[in-house]
Protein backbone atom coordinates (compact mmCIF):
# COMPACT_ATOMS: atom_id res chain seq x y z
CA UNK A 1 0.00 0.00 0.00
CA UNK A 2 0.98 3.61 -0.49
CA UNK A 3 0.72 5.26 2.93
CA UNK A 4 1.36 8.96 3.52
CA UNK A 5 2.43 9.87 7.06
CA UNK A 6 1.65 13.49 7.95
CA UNK A 7 4.25 14.50 10.54
CA UNK A 8 6.39 11.69 9.20
CA UNK A 9 9.72 13.14 10.29
CA UNK A 10 8.90 13.53 14.02
CA UNK A 11 9.25 11.20 17.01
CA UNK A 12 6.30 8.95 16.17
CA UNK A 13 6.08 9.62 12.45
CA UNK A 14 9.65 8.58 11.69
CA UNK A 15 9.11 5.30 13.54
CA UNK A 16 5.84 4.68 11.66
CA UNK A 17 7.51 5.32 8.30
CA UNK A 18 10.37 2.95 9.11
CA UNK A 19 8.04 0.17 10.30
CA UNK A 20 5.81 0.48 7.24
CA UNK A 21 8.81 0.25 4.93
CA UNK A 22 10.03 -2.83 6.80
CA UNK A 23 6.68 -4.44 5.97
CA UNK A 24 7.11 -3.63 2.29
CA UNK A 25 4.72 -0.70 2.03
CA UNK A 26 5.43 2.53 0.17
CA UNK A 27 5.61 4.96 3.08
CA UNK A 28 5.89 8.69 2.42
CA UNK A 29 7.08 11.07 5.15
CA UNK A 30 5.08 14.27 4.67
CA UNK A 31 6.01 17.33 6.73
CA UNK A 32 6.97 20.97 6.15
CA UNK A 33 10.63 19.95 5.95
CA UNK A 34 9.80 17.55 3.10
CA UNK A 35 7.72 20.16 1.24
CA UNK A 36 4.24 19.27 2.53
CA UNK A 37 2.30 21.82 4.56
CA UNK A 38 -1.20 20.93 5.73
CA UNK A 39 -1.95 24.54 6.74
CA UNK A 40 -1.12 26.27 3.45
CA UNK A 41 -1.84 23.16 1.38
CA UNK A 42 1.56 23.32 -0.27
CA UNK A 43 2.56 19.94 -1.69
CA UNK A 44 -0.47 18.19 -0.20
CA UNK A 45 -2.20 17.11 -3.40
CA UNK A 46 1.07 15.81 -4.82
CA UNK A 47 1.87 13.86 -1.64
CA UNK A 48 -1.58 12.23 -1.54
CA UNK A 49 -1.59 11.24 -5.21
CA UNK A 50 -2.34 7.49 -5.41
CA UNK A 51 -2.36 7.21 -1.61
CA UNK A 52 -4.36 4.38 -0.10
CA UNK A 53 -4.02 5.51 3.52
CA UNK A 54 -3.16 8.76 5.28
CA UNK A 55 -1.75 8.64 8.80
CA UNK A 56 -1.78 11.96 10.68
CA UNK A 57 0.59 12.21 13.64
CA UNK A 58 1.32 15.92 13.24
CA UNK A 59 1.20 18.41 16.10
CA UNK A 60 0.63 22.12 16.44
CA UNK A 61 3.87 24.14 16.52
CA UNK A 62 2.24 26.39 19.13
CA UNK A 63 0.36 25.33 22.25
CA UNK A 64 -1.36 28.69 22.72
CA UNK A 65 -5.13 28.15 22.73
CA UNK A 66 -6.09 30.02 19.58
CA UNK A 67 -3.05 28.94 17.59
CA UNK A 68 -3.60 25.26 18.45
CA UNK A 69 -7.29 25.47 17.47
CA UNK A 70 -6.43 27.11 14.16
CA UNK A 71 -3.77 24.51 13.44
CA UNK A 72 -5.82 21.40 14.17
CA UNK A 73 -9.03 22.62 12.52
CA UNK A 74 -7.31 23.95 9.40
CA UNK A 75 -5.06 20.92 9.04
CA UNK A 76 -7.95 18.47 9.51
CA UNK A 77 -10.13 20.26 6.95
CA UNK A 78 -7.36 20.55 4.37
CA UNK A 79 -6.51 16.86 4.80
CA UNK A 80 -10.18 15.91 4.50
CA UNK A 81 -10.57 17.83 1.24
CA UNK A 82 -7.30 16.54 -0.23
CA UNK A 83 -8.16 12.96 0.73
CA UNK A 84 -11.55 13.20 -0.94
CA UNK A 85 -9.94 14.51 -4.13
CA UNK A 86 -7.37 11.70 -4.05
CA UNK A 87 -9.94 8.99 -3.18
CA UNK A 88 -8.01 7.98 -0.05
CA UNK A 89 -9.60 4.92 1.54
CA UNK A 90 -8.55 5.28 5.19
CA UNK A 91 -7.56 8.13 7.51
CA UNK A 92 -5.69 7.27 10.72
CA UNK A 93 -5.14 9.98 13.33
CA UNK A 94 -3.24 10.00 16.62
CA UNK A 95 -4.75 11.83 19.58
CA UNK A 96 -4.64 11.65 23.37
CA UNK A 97 -6.32 9.47 26.00
CA UNK A 98 -8.45 11.75 28.14
CA UNK A 99 -8.95 14.44 25.49
CA UNK A 100 -12.66 14.68 26.33
CA UNK A 101 -11.81 14.89 30.04
CA UNK A 102 -9.22 17.65 29.64
CA UNK A 103 -11.42 20.31 28.08
CA UNK A 104 -10.21 22.92 30.55
CA UNK A 105 -7.19 23.18 28.24
CA UNK A 106 -7.38 25.03 24.94
CA UNK A 107 -4.95 22.51 23.44
CA UNK A 108 -7.27 19.61 24.21
CA UNK A 109 -10.30 21.55 22.97
CA UNK A 110 -8.38 21.89 19.71
CA UNK A 111 -7.62 18.15 19.61
CA UNK A 112 -11.31 17.39 20.14
CA UNK A 113 -12.23 19.76 17.31
CA UNK A 114 -9.79 17.91 15.05
CA UNK A 115 -11.41 14.60 15.94
CA UNK A 116 -14.87 15.98 15.18
CA UNK A 117 -13.77 17.00 11.66
CA UNK A 118 -12.42 13.48 11.09
CA UNK A 119 -15.54 11.76 12.39
CA UNK A 120 -17.82 13.93 10.22
CA UNK A 121 -15.79 13.30 7.07
CA UNK A 122 -16.85 10.85 4.37
CA UNK A 123 -13.41 9.22 4.57
CA UNK A 124 -13.39 5.97 6.65
CA UNK A 125 -11.19 6.51 9.69
CA UNK A 126 -9.48 5.09 12.74
CA UNK A 127 -8.88 7.38 15.72
CA UNK A 128 -6.10 6.34 18.08
CA UNK A 129 -5.90 7.74 21.61
CA UNK A 130 -2.54 7.13 23.30
CA UNK A 131 -1.57 7.80 26.88
CA UNK A 132 1.42 10.00 27.72
CA UNK A 133 4.73 8.83 26.25
CA UNK A 134 7.66 7.77 28.42
CA UNK A 135 9.66 10.16 26.26
CA UNK A 136 7.90 13.20 27.75
CA UNK A 137 8.04 12.32 31.45
CA UNK A 138 11.10 14.52 31.83
CA UNK A 139 9.23 17.41 30.23
CA UNK A 140 6.39 16.89 32.69
CA UNK A 141 8.89 17.27 35.52
CA UNK A 142 10.13 20.52 34.00
CA UNK A 143 6.73 22.16 33.68
CA UNK A 144 5.66 20.89 37.13
CA UNK A 145 8.66 22.32 38.99
CA UNK A 146 7.88 25.10 41.46
CA UNK A 147 10.62 26.49 43.73
CA UNK A 148 12.86 23.52 42.97
CA UNK A 149 10.20 20.92 43.75
CA UNK A 150 8.19 18.84 41.28
CA UNK A 151 4.54 18.93 42.32
CA UNK A 152 2.21 16.35 40.78
CA UNK A 153 -1.21 14.96 41.65
CA UNK A 154 -1.03 11.35 42.95
CA UNK A 155 -3.37 9.96 40.28
CA UNK A 156 -3.28 6.89 38.06
CA UNK A 157 -0.80 7.07 35.20
CA UNK A 158 -0.29 4.53 32.42
CA UNK A 159 2.44 5.89 30.12
CA UNK A 160 3.54 4.13 26.97
CA UNK A 161 6.72 3.88 24.89
CA UNK A 162 6.73 5.78 21.60
CA UNK A 163 7.95 2.60 19.91
CA UNK A 164 4.83 0.73 21.04
CA UNK A 165 2.57 3.56 19.88
CA UNK A 166 4.19 3.50 16.44
CA UNK A 167 3.63 -0.26 16.20
CA UNK A 168 -0.06 0.13 16.98
CA UNK A 169 -0.44 2.94 14.45
CA UNK A 170 1.10 0.71 11.77
CA UNK A 171 -1.24 -2.10 12.78
CA UNK A 172 -4.24 0.22 12.38
CA UNK A 173 -2.99 1.70 9.11
CA UNK A 174 -2.74 -1.63 7.30
CA UNK A 175 -6.05 -2.92 8.71
CA UNK A 176 -9.56 -2.02 7.62
CA UNK A 177 -10.89 1.30 8.98
CA UNK A 178 -12.41 0.90 12.44
CA UNK A 179 -14.61 3.99 12.11
CA UNK A 180 -14.16 4.16 15.86
CA UNK A 181 -11.73 5.04 18.62
CA UNK A 182 -8.89 2.75 19.71
CA UNK A 183 -6.98 3.39 22.95
CA UNK A 184 -3.30 2.57 23.46
CA UNK A 185 -1.48 2.51 26.79
CA UNK A 186 1.52 1.06 28.56
CA UNK A 187 1.39 -2.32 30.35
CA UNK A 188 1.55 -0.87 33.88
CA UNK A 189 -0.75 1.40 35.86
CA UNK A 190 1.54 3.54 38.01
CA UNK A 191 1.04 6.56 40.23
CA UNK A 192 1.82 9.78 38.45
CA UNK A 193 4.16 11.31 41.01
CA UNK A 194 5.93 7.99 41.66
CA UNK A 195 6.57 7.38 37.96
CA UNK A 196 8.11 10.81 37.51
CA UNK A 197 10.17 10.37 40.69
CA UNK A 198 11.53 7.07 39.33
CA UNK A 199 12.76 8.78 36.15
CA UNK A 200 14.38 11.63 38.08
CA UNK A 201 16.06 9.19 40.44
CA UNK A 202 17.46 7.26 37.48
CA UNK A 203 18.77 10.56 36.06
CA UNK A 204 20.31 11.40 39.45
CA UNK A 205 18.19 14.54 39.40
CA UNK A 206 17.99 15.86 42.99
CA UNK A 207 14.62 17.57 42.69
CA UNK A 208 12.08 16.14 45.15
CA UNK A 209 8.72 15.02 43.76
CA UNK A 210 5.80 16.07 45.95
CA UNK A 211 2.40 14.38 45.80
CA UNK A 212 0.05 17.36 45.73
CA UNK A 213 -3.64 16.80 45.05
CA UNK A 214 -4.06 20.45 44.11
CA UNK A 215 -1.31 20.29 41.47
CA UNK A 216 -2.45 20.57 37.87
CA UNK A 217 -1.50 18.79 34.68
CA UNK A 218 -0.44 21.46 32.18
CA UNK A 219 -2.83 23.83 33.91
CA UNK A 220 -5.76 21.42 34.06
CA UNK A 221 -7.22 19.88 37.21
CA UNK A 222 -7.36 16.10 36.81
CA UNK A 223 -9.18 13.25 38.55
CA UNK A 224 -7.81 9.82 39.43
CA UNK A 225 -8.74 8.26 36.08
CA UNK A 226 -8.19 11.22 33.72
CA UNK A 227 -4.89 9.96 32.30
CA UNK A 228 -5.67 6.24 31.99
CA UNK A 229 -7.60 4.39 29.28
CA UNK A 230 -10.73 2.29 29.46
CA UNK A 231 -10.75 -1.50 29.98
CA UNK A 232 -10.41 -2.39 26.28
CA UNK A 233 -7.19 -0.51 25.55
CA UNK A 234 -4.42 -2.15 23.57
CA UNK A 235 -1.37 -2.41 25.80
CA UNK A 236 2.25 -2.06 24.77
CA UNK A 237 4.88 -4.45 26.08
CA UNK A 238 7.53 -1.94 27.18
CA UNK A 239 7.74 -1.23 30.91
CA UNK A 240 9.08 1.99 32.37
CA UNK A 241 12.00 0.16 34.02
CA UNK A 242 13.03 -1.48 30.73
CA UNK A 243 12.70 1.80 28.84
CA UNK A 244 14.85 3.68 31.35
CA UNK A 245 17.72 1.23 30.98
CA UNK A 246 17.51 0.71 27.21
CA UNK A 247 16.52 4.05 25.65
CA UNK A 248 19.17 6.77 25.96
CA UNK A 249 18.06 9.98 27.63
CA UNK A 250 18.17 13.11 25.47
CA UNK A 251 21.18 15.39 26.00
CA UNK A 252 20.76 17.87 28.82
CA UNK A 253 20.25 21.51 27.90
CA UNK A 254 21.19 23.22 31.13
CA UNK A 255 21.36 26.77 29.78
CA UNK A 256 18.58 26.66 27.20
CA UNK A 257 14.95 27.60 27.56
CA UNK A 258 12.82 24.48 27.57
CA UNK A 259 9.33 24.33 26.14
CA UNK A 260 7.59 21.20 27.43
CA UNK A 261 4.80 19.39 25.66
CA UNK A 262 1.19 20.01 26.79
CA UNK A 263 0.39 16.33 26.38
CA UNK A 264 2.24 13.75 24.40
CA UNK A 265 3.58 15.20 21.19
CA UNK A 266 1.80 13.62 18.28
CA UNK A 267 4.62 13.94 15.87
Amino acid sequence: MRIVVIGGTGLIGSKVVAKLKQQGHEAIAAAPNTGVDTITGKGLAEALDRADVVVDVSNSPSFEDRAAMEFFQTSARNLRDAEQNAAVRHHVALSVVGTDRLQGSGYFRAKLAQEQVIEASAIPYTLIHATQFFEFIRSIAEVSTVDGMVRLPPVKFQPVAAEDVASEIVRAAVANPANALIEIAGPETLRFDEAVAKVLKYDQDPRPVIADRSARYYGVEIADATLVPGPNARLGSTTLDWWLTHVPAPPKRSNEARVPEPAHSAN
Side-chain angles (χ1 to χ4, degrees):
M1 287 193 289
R2 179 179 171 88
I3 302 174
V4 177
V5 182
I6 307 297
T9 60
L11 171 66
I12 297 296
S14 59
K15 295 178 185 295
V16 170
V17 169
K19 289 176 182 293
L20 286 169
K21 288 182 176 180
Q22 288 170 2
Q23 292 186 13
H25 299 287
E26 183 184 2
I28 311 298
N33 59 2
T34 67
V36 181
D37 191 322
T38 59
I39 301 303
T40 65
K42 178 184 177 183
L44 194 54
E46 294 81 358
L48 267 57
D49 182 42
R50 299 180 292 105
D52 300 298
V53 180
V54 171
V55 174
D56 183 9
V57 295
S58 62
N59 200 13
S60 172
S62 171
F63 305 133
E64 187 273 327
D65 290 3
R66 182 175 179 179
M69 182 65 76
E70 289 179 353
F71 175 86
F72 284 118
Q73 285 190 321
T74 301
S75 179
R77 290 166 180 162
N78 286 344
L79 279 171
R80 174 198 62 195
D81 295 345
E83 288 170 357
Q84 290 174 346
N85 290 336
V88 170
R89 302 198 303 265
H90 187 187
H91 179 92
V92 179
L94 176 63
S95 194
V96 187
V97 163
T99 290
D100 58 335
R101 301 187 291 269
L102 290 162
Q103 290 298 291
S105 159
Y107 177 87
F108 288 103
R109 290 195 296 272
K111 288 298 293 179
L112 186 60
Q114 175 196 31
E115 294 179 20
Q116 290 168 342
V117 172
I118 293 167
E119 291 170 332
S121 170
I123 305 295
Y125 70 91
T126 302
L127 273 176
I128 297 175
H129 273 197
T131 54
Q132 182 60 269
F133 302 161
F134 292 152
E135 284 76 2
F136 294 122
I137 289 178
R138 294 179 175 98
S139 292
I140 291 171
E142 291 294 329
V143 77
S144 303
T145 299
V146 179
D147 296 329
M149 294 179 289
V150 181
R151 293 187 173 275
L152 294 166
V155 298
K156 293 177 182 176
F157 188 52
Q158 199 168 339
V160 63
E163 193 74 27
D164 289 344
V165 173
S167 294
E168 288 294 344
I169 291 172
V170 169
R171 176 181 173 185
V174 301
N176 292 326
N179 290 315
L181 171 66
I182 295 171
E183 291 189 313
I184 302 171
E188 306 167 295
T189 301
L190 309 168
R191 209 174 83 176
F192 196 11
D193 56 310
E194 292 176 349
V196 174
K198 176 177 284 191
V199 174
L200 295 188
K201 181 179 180 181
Y202 181 82
D203 291 347
Q204 297 183 337
D205 187 320
R207 284 176 293 175
V209 178
I210 309 300
D212 182 352
R213 293 199 173 275
S214 67
R216 298 196 167 201
Y217 179 66
Y218 293 104
V220 182
E221 185 176 344
I222 58 175
D224 191 49
T226 299
L227 303 180
V228 295
N232 297 317
R234 296 178 179 176
L235 303 183
S237 60
T238 307
T239 64
L240 180 57
D241 285 341
W242 188 95
W243 179 84
L244 274 173
T245 57
H246 288 78
V247 178
K252 292 183 178 180
R253 299 176 296 167
S254 57
N255 295 319
E256 296 180 25
R258 302 179 186 180
V259 181
E261 306 296 328
H264 65 61
S265 172
N267 67 345

